[in-house]
Amino acid sequence: MRRLRVLVVDDSAVIRKLVSDAVTASPDLELAGSAPNGQVALERVGAQPPDLVTLDVEMPVLGGIETLKALRRLHPRLPVLMFSSHTERGALATLDALAAGASDFVAKPQATSPEAARVFVEKEVLPRLRALGARALDQRTGAARATPAAPPPAPAPARPGVGTRQIQVVVIGVSTGGPQALERVLPRLPRNLAVPVLVVQHMPTLFTRLLAERLATLCALPVREARGGEPLGPGTVLIAQGGHHLLVAREDSLPVARLGDGPAENSCRPAADVLFRSAAEHYGAGVLAVVLTGMGRDGAAGCGLVRARGGLVLAQDRETSTVWGMPGAVVEAGLADQVLPLDEVGDEIAVRVARGQRAAARESR
């Protein structure tokens, strides 16, 4: 198989060399060159388009967001991995970049040694490039395929009565492509949603607070970063805090949010599996678990427990996922009650919550 060609764009010569050396040493990647700013990058992309681009958010001459917008006009599907700093300004710029069409981001390493920086790139950058490159390759080969592709895995067999089950909490797990996905799902939830919504988005500390603030401007429901101790009442939307697991707990017999500092699961903290597991333990069959675009398998084990307790599982489909790792793991394990395009997920959540409420009201008469 042809190696994926990567263009590295960063004003820091140290970062350019660090990433370029890692790409060159990788057997499945190939360096397509490097550029110190966006203007040079656009010239090189115009001369010979790469398969992937790493792009620094803050650069002289032509900054990362301006470069990204130009790339999107010329190459709408070219995967772009943004590099950000661990600052509020860098985080805000990163969210702007994601809204402008960046595929994913990684915060620049705060490494104390060259070896630590090298390990960071190998563990955090290269896997993202491979995942994004595989998705782009699937799209290209799918468009060129002469024969129909094999049918996607089917949803789990229907379970009698599960469609009218009363939902008591919605839990969402998402990673790569998540900010864009959440901006298309959460605004579809109505102001009178009768249950809390808890979200695990794989992001570092600081980024999750700014993401919650941005989502709050788009949604009818109030959206906040979880701080721990919040009552889980109707219409509560909490985003897991970067660096901490989000769990459901009980306080005076009432459900509340809790932050946890337990070990990472699936190399993630927060982890969707931790949230899903705690929700299933406290709400049982009243859980609606939703797994959206993301790299890896986080959420699959938790969905297994949700279904074992009688809850519902929705998964995003392959076609609309930036990376079909997380939802794909759920579907392939036969755990998804329904597989949906991204733009149908929010409406389906609202419908299932309302349907369960109506069924519960009829039973109580």
Side-chain angles (χ1 to χ4, degrees):
M1 181 182 293
R2 181 177 67 84
R3 293 189 294 174
L4 295 165
R5 301 175 64 254
V6 183
L7 176 65
V8 179
V9 186
D10 202 297
D11 64 324
S12 166
V14 173
I15 297 294
R16 287 201 307 275
K17 177 170 173 50
L18 180 67
V19 178
S20 296
D21 287 350
V23 167
T24 300
S26 177
D28 53 346
L29 301 174
E30 176 183 338
L31 186 65
S34 63
N37 59 61
Q39 182 174 306
V40 174
L42 292 175
E43 293 170 357
R44 295 192 175 172
V45 170
Q48 188 173 10
D51 299 303
L52 299 153
V53 175
T54 71
L55 183 60
D56 189 18
V57 169
E58 300 181 73
M59 296 183 296
V61 184
L62 189 65
I65 294 177
E66 292 78 8
T67 304
L68 173 67
K69 290 177 179 178
L71 286 173
R72 281 289 162 262
R73 288 193 296 270
L74 298 169
H75 303 280
R77 292 190 172 185
L78 177 64
V80 178
L81 177 65
M82 303 300 297
F83 274 32
S84 169
S85 62
H86 279 278
T87 64
E88 182 153 342
R89 176 180 172 183
L92 284 168
T94 299
L95 292 176
D96 287 340
L98 292 170
S103 308
D104 196 9
F105 82 100
V106 64
K108 285 187 178 181
Q110 297 175 310
T112 56
S113 69
E115 176 62 18
R118 182 189 66 79
V119 170
F120 176 88
V121 171
E122 290 182 352
K123 288 187 174 182
E124 300 294 334
V125 177
L126 297 187
R128 285 174 165 82
L129 290 175
R130 293 185 180 109
L132 294 172
R135 168 64 171 159
L137 188 61
D138 282 347
Q139 290 176 332
R140 288 200 297 269
T141 57
R145 198 179 285 123
T147 57
R159 292 175 286 164
V162 76
T164 56
R165 189 160 294 158
Q166 184 177 6
I167 305 301
Q168 296 175 285
V169 66
V170 176
V171 290
I172 300 175
V174 62
S175 184
T176 312
Q180 305 98 309
L182 292 172
E183 287 185 7
R184 291 164 65 179
V185 170
L186 295 182
R188 305 300 292 262
L189 302 181
R191 189 182 303 276
N192 63 346
L193 192 76
V195 301
V197 180
L198 308 179
V199 180
V200 163
Q201 160 72 62
H202 296 160
M203 271 186 162
T205 305
L206 175 64
F207 288 78
T208 48
R209 174 176 63 82
L210 297 174
L211 173 65
E213 292 174 358
R214 179 172 297 231
L215 290 170
T217 67
L218 304 174
C219 299
L221 295 169
V223 183
R224 300 186 299 277
E225 182 189 52
R227 308 304 297 178
E230 298 95 331
L232 298 181
T236 302
V237 182
L238 296 179
I239 308 295
Q241 188 178 136
H244 300 274
H245 292 306
L246 177 60
L247 307 96
V248 177
R250 293 278 172 177
E251 189 173 286
D252 297 328
S253 76
L254 297 176
V256 297
R258 283 280 181 262
L259 302 184
D261 293 324
E265 296 192 20
N266 309 296
S267 302
C268 303
R269 192 171 67 192
D273 274 338
V274 174
L275 172 61
F276 290 8
R277 189 166 62 238
S278 72
E281 290 169 355
H282 287 275
Y283 288 100
V287 178
L288 172 56
V290 182
V291 182
L292 303 176
T293 175
M295 186 173 66
R297 298 183 56 84
D298 189 28
C303 284
L305 183 56
V306 168
R307 276 185 60 93
R309 297 291 180 92
L312 279 161
V313 176
L314 306 181
Q316 185 177 348
D317 68 3
R318 181 192 294 270
E319 289 71 23
T320 62
S321 295
T322 302
V323 175
W324 205 56
M326 286 169 54
V330 172
V331 175
E332 288 165 0
L335 297 172
D337 291 288
Q338 196 169 1
V339 183
L340 296 164
L342 180 62
D343 285 334
E344 295 180 19
V345 173
D347 290 340
E348 186 65 24
I349 292 171
V351 166
R352 287 185 178 267
V353 170
R355 186 185 299 156
Q357 295 293 314
R358 290 195 297 269
R362 286 194 299 268
E363 291 174 4
S364 65
R365 291 173 188 162

